Amino acid sequence: MEQMMGLMMGRMSKEDKEAMMDSMMEKFFVGISPEEKQKMMTDMMPKMMEGMDMSQMMPQMMMGMMSGGKDGGSPGMKGMMGDFMSGSSGDGMPSMMAQMMPNCIRVMMPRMEPAQRRNSAEAIVEALVDEGSKGLSADERRAYLNALSDVLETAS
């Protein structure tokens, strides 16, 4: 699954990645108060970061924040995110997202109502199918879709 996410994110343009993140965060936080957001992040971050090598990620993040944004933009988080999304900081965002997304899903899905779970799962699977197979040859696409199908079949 991690390789799939890495492949999917690696083929997206910087603008598409940024738009995807903005859209995901906007949808995720609809109807949640600032206090609830803070508590949720405090509770979830250790679980989402599970298995990540902070000794590698932190220096990249710090360098990104200190170097400032591209095109004369302001330094800080926006510049760092732009660097990560473009892949200029090593594996950057695609690698980090590939590690975090499965943990995020494991943490969030049990907290959702059944209908919301179905809707979220459908959107996730649709994105995996549509975006994950872009740019693949016919054989690669078939192998990719077979791998997704195998995961779904073994879960039944």
Side-chain angles (χ1 to χ4, degrees), residues 43-60:
D43 292 346
M44 290 182 344
M45 282 311 282
K47 294 176 184 175
M48 292 185 326
M49 301 298 282
E50 202 172 87
M52 294 185 72
D53 185 357
M54 294 301 287
S55 66
Q56 288 182 0
M57 190 171 73
M58 286 309 289
Q60 290 178 351

Side-chain angles (χ1 to χ4, degrees), residues 116-134:
Q116 188 181 10
R117 266 185 223 188
R118 277 191 305 275
N119 292 340
S120 295
E122 287 172 6
I124 291 166
V125 171
E126 186 177 312
L128 287 171
V129 170
D130 293 344
E131 300 302 320
S133 61
K134 281 185 179 173

Side-chain angles (χ1 to χ4, degrees), residues 14 18 22 61 64-86 93:
K14 177 183 174 185
E18 289 173 352
D22 290 343
M61 289 173 60
M65 284 190 274
M66 290 188 303
S67 68
K70 294 186 187 296
D71 303 322
S74 61
M77 187 61 87
K78 185 171 174 129
M80 179 187 68
M81 291 303 285
D83 289 346
F84 273 131
M85 294 304 244
S86 69
M93 186 59 84

Side-chain angles (χ1 to χ4, degrees), residues 24-39:
M24 284 174 32
M25 294 310 284
E26 188 176 309
K27 289 177 185 174
F28 180 76
F29 286 119
V30 166
I32 298 176
S33 73
E35 294 79 21
E36 291 172 318
K37 288 179 195 176
Q38 179 64 40
K39 179 170 178 9

Side-chain angles (χ1 to χ4, degrees), residues 81-146:
M81 291 303 285
D83 289 346
F84 273 131
M85 294 304 244
S86 69
S88 65
S89 297
D91 288 337
M93 186 59 84
S95 176
M96 186 171 67
M97 290 299 293
Q99 290 177 350
M100 285 180 65
M101 292 210 43
N103 290 332
C104 292
I105 290 169
R106 285 184 191 100
V107 170
M108 290 308 302
M109 284 296 196
R111 291 181 162 94
M112 293 179 177
E113 295 296 323
Q116 188 181 10
R117 266 185 223 188
R118 277 191 305 275
N119 292 340
S120 295
E122 287 172 6
I124 291 166
V125 171
E126 186 177 312
L128 287 171
V129 170
D130 293 344
E131 300 302 320
S133 61
K134 281 185 179 173
L136 299 180
S137 70
D139 289 339
E140 290 171 326
R141 184 177 180 356
R142 193 171 13 267
Y144 174 79
L145 294 175
N146 285 340

